[in-house]
Amino acid sequence: MTSEPSIIFSDPNERQGSFLRRTFVVGGLTTLGVTALIGRLAQLQVVQAREYSTLASQNQFNFRLVPPPRGRILDRNGVVIAGNRPSFRVLVVRDETKDLDQTLDLLGRVLPDTMDRRRAIIRDVNAAPRFSPVPVKSDMTWEEFAKVNLYAADLPGVMADMNEARYYPFGGSFAHVIGYVAKVSDRDIKAIRDKGEEPPAILFNPGFRIGRQGVEKSLDEQLRGVAGGNRVEVDARGRVVAEDIGGSRPAEPGEDVMLTLDADVQNRALEVFGDESGSCVVMDVRNGDILCMTSSPSFDPNLFVGGVPSNIYRALADYERKPLLDKAINGNFPPGSTFKPATALALLAAGVNPAERVNCTGVFRTGQRCWGRHGSQDMHNAIKNSCDIYFYTMCNRAGVDMIRDTAIKLGFEQTFDIGVGNQRKGLLPSTAWKKKTFPRDPVWHPGETTSVAIGQGAVLVNALQLATYTSRLANGRKAIRPRLIKSVGGVERPSGGDVPDLPFSREHLDIVRGGMIAVANDTSGTAYRQSQLGLGDIQMAGKTGTAQSRDYKPGQSRRSDVWALKDHNLFIAFAPVDAPRYAVAVIIEHGGRGGGTAGAPRAREVMRTVLLKDPDMLQRIQRPPPPEGTAAPDDVVEGAAPETAPPPIAPVQPNTPPPPTTPGPQPYYSETAG
């Protein structure tokens, strides 16, 4: 039985209902979407219009920081010793070039020497903020600057401009005291953040420099100034198309810093050192102003501004005479016999009669030797002749603690607030120091005082302390403190003369100073020939010093041809003796000869420069001598004048540039001991 096929017809009303339902759903969703879009557009166009208008303007304009001109550093007469000079440079903007390697390849064809620094350039460019120009080469010649601009169209992301670079016109003369500027390092940023502070944005500018060492570092914030900025219009790729002059802000220069240093004296000091290593400090004994603070050998700080090549830095760092070390404040040396005036003051305070005599046979009972056999010596002659035996015999009348206390009052084992850090205090041993340092042998033995009394053993000082010590002896009334910073931004710093009185009697100071006058002016003094200034009736008082740099075995000669094995050579002085104005301290590291042979001639030349620049002293020098047969005044100081005066010297011309080359060392004189 076969089944009949059946035909089923769908209901048209049902199909129409399903279509209408889908239409309503899609239409509703579309309506909701359009409504949401219209609402969002209304919000953007009406409610948030101002906010997005500001954002659009910020995208259209960029504010690029401009480093401020660094403040100048001047000497006491207004001579610029650290300033700024124009410099042509070429820069690369990473975001304006598609291929940095290709750009540097093209730039290398124009400036071949940039290829040698390619890795460093890439590192700096990648570390710089977006759209920040990175210096690739500074101090370009005019020909190089013109060549870069000629090919600028073929060098995407490369631009050339002129900026200000730090410049030190006197080279190495002020290198240690002023320091130098260099790029900001990661350690600098970390040091600021470790203090809980946020680094200023200008520190991330690749062309910005901060102070390193010396005054540049200690007064960096005052010298730095306030950054400005250029408001520039950029396209969608960040390229500059115009500058908004009205929206730009000029940078504010840093404050000028005036030092108490004198450029002529500083240059002369470095000149007379020649190839020797050491330091020289000159102070005004009336107010503590430091006229000279030099360290030799020195280095050219201009090398560090753009980044010193590693081979040059390595050569400076490895040289045995340490040109990078500031020996004036950071080099500690035994003072040798220059310390004897301090010991003499301690003896006087302990009640020693300065007329009491000691017989010098050249050998002390402990086996210690004197440089000569001086015979019967009182305090005056012991200072004049630098007799060790006298101080060996007398030193324990005062004791090491009293000697140390006296030396501290004269300026030793101290750091001074002169605006420059990194000072080393040195050392003055005492009974307490012995207990702490040598617990196995804590007792101070009388034989140890003998070394301290003549500035040997554990005693260590620096040139600034020696100059302060000499200034206090010369002043005779005030505990003068050194001053290096004269003013900052035109605001005067306190004088070093506004200090308490010295805790010594005038009588005791006169006894010690009388011995120093004899050192330089008595024909038998240890520095007579080397201390004659040849400036009319102006005389200089001084004290020689020779300090061992190593221990000597019995019978071993102190002479050596090896530089590092030679003794140190020192000299301190003040002038004029009748009305002291200036004090000088000279240290010749491993000078090898007595204090009167290497230190004194150099101190004399520096002192002559200082006196010739002083108008009052120059007037005194140039006044005519008294008529023949005129009796000498009653208050003439002790000391014989030279039979024949040196030839007259022309006055020093102020603000002279440094010598083009460094001369050799000054000639030495006959051997004398300190």
Side-chain angles (χ1 to χ4, degrees):
M1 178 176 182
T2 60
S3 60
E4 295 293 329
S6 60
I7 299 175
I8 301 174
F9 296 97
S10 58
D11 187 353
N13 292 328
E14 182 179 351
R15 291 201 308 271
Q16 185 177 7
S18 175
F19 173 76
L20 290 174
R21 284 194 299 273
R22 288 197 297 269
T23 300
F24 279 121
V25 170
V26 172
L29 292 174
T30 301
T31 302
L32 289 174
V34 171
T35 302
L37 180 61
I38 292 173
R40 179 59 177 163
L41 288 174
Q43 182 185 19
L44 293 175
Q45 293 292 328
V46 179
V47 180
Q48 295 181 300
R50 180 172 300 179
E51 176 185 352
Y52 283 100
S53 175
T54 302
L55 290 175
S57 176
Q58 291 175 350
N59 288 333
Q60 181 183 2
F61 294 95
N62 282 343
F63 193 78
R64 296 185 174 180
L65 288 176
V66 176
R70 195 168 178 84
R72 301 175 302 167
I73 301 177
L74 315 170
D75 86 335
R76 65 187 301 109
N77 300 308
V79 178
V80 177
I81 52 182
N84 307 303
R85 59 174 175 79
S87 171
F88 293 121
R89 63 178 180 173
V90 61
L91 308 100
V92 170
V93 182
R94 178 70 177 87
D95 301 272
E96 294 183 9
T97 175
K98 293 181 179 179
D99 190 335
L100 180 60
D101 289 327
Q102 182 181 9
T103 298
L104 294 179
D105 288 339
L106 295 173
L107 184 61
R109 298 179 185 179
V110 180
L111 302 174
D113 55 343
T114 60
M115 300 299 292
D116 299 333
R117 299 181 52 253
R118 186 185 183 93
R119 294 179 61 183
I121 293 171
I122 293 175
R123 183 178 63 248
D124 292 343
V125 170
N126 289 334
R130 291 197 63 197
F131 303 112
S132 181
V134 178
V136 172
K137 183 180 179 181
S138 300
D139 291 332
M140 294 191 301
T141 64
W142 172 256
E143 289 75 13
E144 291 174 327
F145 179 73
K147 189 182 295 184
V148 171
N149 282 284
L150 180 64
Y151 294 101
D154 300 321
L155 297 170
V158 175
M159 67 179 73
D161 71 357
M162 186 178 73
N163 75 316
E164 287 191 345
R166 199 61 163 170
Y167 178 57
Y168 304 96
F170 293 97
S173 293
F174 296 87
H176 296 95
V177 64
I178 290 180
Y180 54 89
V181 296
K183 293 181 180 178
V184 182
S185 66
D186 294 338
R187 288 183 298 178
D188 299 320
I189 301 299
K190 183 177 182 300
I192 296 174
R193 286 176 173 159
D194 288 343
K195 297 178 183 178
E197 303 173 3
E198 187 62 27
I202 190 62
L203 295 186
F204 297 96
N205 186 295
F208 188 69
R209 298 289 185 270
I210 62 171
R212 292 266 192 267
Q213 297 186 1
V215 175
E216 291 277 28
K217 179 179 180 180
S218 61
L219 296 179
D220 182 64
E221 291 189 6
Q222 291 90 333
L223 290 165
R224 189 183 296 175
V226 179
N230 291 331
R231 190 169 185 262
V232 294
E233 185 178 359
V234 297
D235 59 17
R237 297 181 60 186
R239 293 176 297 189
V240 177
V241 296
E243 179 179 353
D244 180 10
I245 303 298
S248 298
R249 184 182 70 233
E252 298 179 16
E255 296 178 329
D256 285 347
V257 174
M258 178 172 283
L259 306 183
T260 60
L261 298 176
D262 188 297
D264 293 320
V265 181
Q266 187 88 357
N267 289 328
R268 181 58 175 157
L270 188 62
E271 178 185 359
V272 299
F273 262 81
D275 296 329
E276 294 287 0
S277 175
S279 57
C280 175
V281 178
V282 179
M283 284 178 58
D284 188 322
V285 307
R286 299 164 297 177
N287 54 27
D289 282 2
I290 301 173
L291 276 67
C292 167
M293 191 165 75
T294 189
S295 178
S296 176
S298 190
F299 62 93
D300 187 356
N302 292 298
L303 294 173
F304 290 78
V305 176
V308 63
S310 58
N311 60 330
I312 295 179
Y313 181 82
R314 196 73 266 150
L316 291 170
D318 293 342
Y319 184 38
E320 66 175 349
R321 303 198 180 192
K322 301 177 182 176
L324 297 178
L325 175 67
D326 185 356
K327 300 180 182 70
I329 60 175
N330 202 24
N332 279 347
F333 302 89
S337 295
T338 60
F339 192 74
K340 288 175 180 175
T343 303
L345 277 177
L347 293 174
L348 291 168
V352 171
N353 185 346
E356 184 177 347
R357 291 184 170 272
V358 172
N359 185 38
C360 172
T361 62
V363 181
F364 192 52
R365 60 177 179 267
T366 60
Q368 294 168 295
R369 293 183 175 273
C370 187
W371 71 274
R373 297 180 180 181
H374 299 107
S376 180
Q377 299 285 292
D378 59 9
M379 183 175 288
H380 172 88
N381 285 290
I383 296 174
K384 181 193 73 172
N385 297 321
S386 198
C387 179
D388 293 341
I389 300 299
Y390 176 88
F391 290 96
Y392 290 157
T393 304
M394 293 292 192
C395 63
N396 282 298
R397 300 264 194 102
V400 67
D401 289 334
M402 182 172 284
I403 293 174
R404 178 181 185 273
D405 181 64
T406 301
I408 288 177
K409 292 173 182 176
L410 289 169
F412 293 116
E413 204 177 63
Q414 297 180 39
T415 58
F416 302 104
D417 183 17
I418 60 173
V420 176
N422 200 32
Q423 300 178 45
R424 295 178 66 184
K425 290 179 62 175
L427 177 63
L428 294 171
S430 64
T431 54
W433 170 84
K434 179 75 181 295
K435 290 178 182 178
K436 181 179 179 181
T437 309
F438 300 98
R440 294 185 178 181
D441 182 21
V443 178
W444 184 271
H445 304 287
E448 294 174 298
T449 312
T450 57
S451 296
V452 174
I454 63 167
Q456 290 281 182
V459 182
L460 292 172
V461 304
N462 61 44
L464 179 60
Q465 292 170 345
L466 277 175
T468 304
Y469 156 63
T470 310
S471 296
R472 293 181 180 183
L473 289 175
N475 181 284
R477 189 169 60 89
K478 291 289 186 178
I480 296 299
R481 297 186 66 84
R483 181 177 76 152
L484 176 65
I485 311 297
K486 185 175 176 64
S487 65
V488 177
V491 180
E492 191 84 5
R493 291 293 178 94
S495 169
D498 186 16
V499 290
D501 291 341
L502 283 169
F504 307 111
S505 74
R506 184 60 181 263
E507 180 185 0
H508 290 174
L509 288 168
D510 286 344
I511 292 170
V512 171
R513 293 193 299 185
M516 295 178 66
I517 292 171
V519 167
N521 296 284
D522 193 302
T523 53
S524 61
T526 55
Y528 167 70
R529 291 188 60 191
Q530 299 86 353
S531 300
Q532 302 310 305
L533 296 170
L535 301 178
D537 62 350
I538 297 179
Q539 292 179 312
M540 179 171 72
K543 184 68 193 80
T544 55
T546 304
Q548 294 178 201
S549 61
R550 58 192 173 104
D551 292 330
Y552 297 99
K553 298 178 181 178
Q556 183 181 8
S557 174
R558 295 177 67 161
R559 295 178 180 272
S560 176
D561 293 330
V562 179
W563 178 80
L565 300 180
K566 296 179 180 180
D567 292 340
H568 303 307
N569 193 290
L570 305 95
F571 189 74
I572 59 173
F574 64 85
V577 296
D578 53 351
R581 286 202 176 192
Y582 304 106
V584 59
V586 171
I587 298 176
I588 308 294
E589 184 180 19
H590 301 299
R593 293 173 171 83
T597 57
R602 290 173 170 83
R604 176 193 63 202
E605 294 306 312
V606 174
M607 182 64 80
R608 283 157 62 95
T609 303
V610 175
L611 293 170
L612 287 166
K613 288 207 66 179
D614 187 315
D616 295 336
M617 294 294 99
L618 185 60
Q619 184 178 8
R620 176 175 170 178
I621 294 165
Q622 293 175 337
R623 71 187 179 192
E628 293 186 10
T630 303
D634 295 334
D635 60 347
V636 67
V637 296
E638 177 185 357
E643 294 181 1
T644 58
I649 299 174
V652 175
Q653 297 300 318
N655 308 336
T656 54
T661 58
T662 302
Q666 299 292 304
Y668 291 119
Y669 296 84
S670 59
E671 177 93 3
T672 56

